[in-house]
Structures are given as structure tokens and as C-alpha cells.
Amino acid sequence: FVRGVLDNNLKLTPPNNFKILNYMLSNELEKAINQSEIVIARSGYSTIMDLVVLGKKAFFIPTPGQFEQEYLAQRLDDKKISPFCAQDKFTLDELKRVSLYSGFKSIKSETNFEKLFSLF
């Protein structure tokens, strides 16, 4: 579990079979996501784009009061890409729904920097 908090002090005591980290560097996080069958995450735009590039299955829990995250999670659920639920309604049983969704299909693209910077 990666909290996304830039603090070296962990103030939580996880169960024995659970690892909690406050943060990970980009390359560590990419490796952890690639090794995961399912990613449980907030439904922010950047997170969604990362999961698309990596072609992962996800379950989203939008940050309460973040209407863009709520909208994006609902939209992905409606398209049967990824399920979601509200934070206060989440139980481990909710994760069973992931198997009914397609997940993200990896989109690989390369940037032609020469063409991009030719504008300048």
C-alpha cells in the first residue's frame, strides 16, 4: 500500500501480511504496479493515464469531494473498463467485481522530439 505522503515516519501499524509505504520513487512505483495483478487507486487523471500505458486492471476509490475523480471513476465503470465504489462503502468483496471488467489496454506511443521541437 503506497500512501503518496512525502514523510519518512510511518505512523501506521499494518497487519503482518501487509506492507505500507509512505511513498515510492517513480521507477519503484512502476515496478510495483507491473508486478500487481490489480491496482487499487484513486481515480485521478494522471493515475489513469499511467495505468493505461501499463495496461493494468484497476479498482478505483475516488477521493471524497473530488468531483473529477468521481466522474472519471463512474465513466470507466459505465464503459466496463474498471469498477469503483465510494470510500465509505469499500469492502474487500468489492474487488471481486474487477473480473467482470476489461481493464486498460496498453497504449504504446513514441514521441518524435525532433518533429515536436522543430516548432521552435
Side-chain angles (χ1 to χ4, degrees):
F1 185 89
V2 182
R3 297 179 62 217
V5 177
L6 294 175
D7 186 354
N8 289 328
N9 298 320
L10 185 62
K11 298 171 183 137
L12 302 169
T13 306
N16 290 336
N17 63 344
F18 209 81
K19 184 176 182 180
I20 298 177
L21 300 170
N22 279 344
Y23 63 91
M24 293 178 107
L25 299 175
S26 295
N27 59 335
E28 296 170 323
L29 185 58
E30 181 179 352
K31 184 178 178 182
I33 290 172
N34 277 326
Q35 292 174 345
S36 301
E37 187 176 327
I38 299 169
V39 176
I40 304 168
R42 299 294 189 186
S43 49
Y45 182 77
S46 296
T47 300
I48 292 169
M49 293 296 96
D50 289 342
L51 296 174
V52 168
V53 168
L54 297 173
K56 300 306 290 187
K57 282 196 160 218
F59 186 95
F60 290 116
I61 304 172
T63 302
Q66 294 290 321
F67 301 113
E68 179 181 315
Q69 287 189 20
E70 293 168 357
Y71 169 80
L72 291 170
Q74 181 66 60
R75 183 86 170 130
L76 293 168
D77 190 287
D78 291 347
K79 291 185 159 288
K80 295 296 185 200
I81 295 170
S82 181
F84 85 102
C85 78
Q87 181 174 299
D88 62 345
K89 304 271 192 248
F90 179 76
T91 65
L92 289 178
D93 280 341
E94 289 287 334
L95 297 178
K96 294 175 184 173
R97 296 175 35 221
V98 172
S99 66
L100 304 174
Y101 291 73
S102 68
F104 293 104
K105 305 299 179 212
S106 180
I107 297 174
K108 302 289 183 193
S109 66
E110 292 185 27
T111 303
N112 182 335
F113 288 106
E114 185 175 314
K115 184 176 179 182
L116 176 66
F117 289 111
S118 70
L119 298 172
F120 302 104

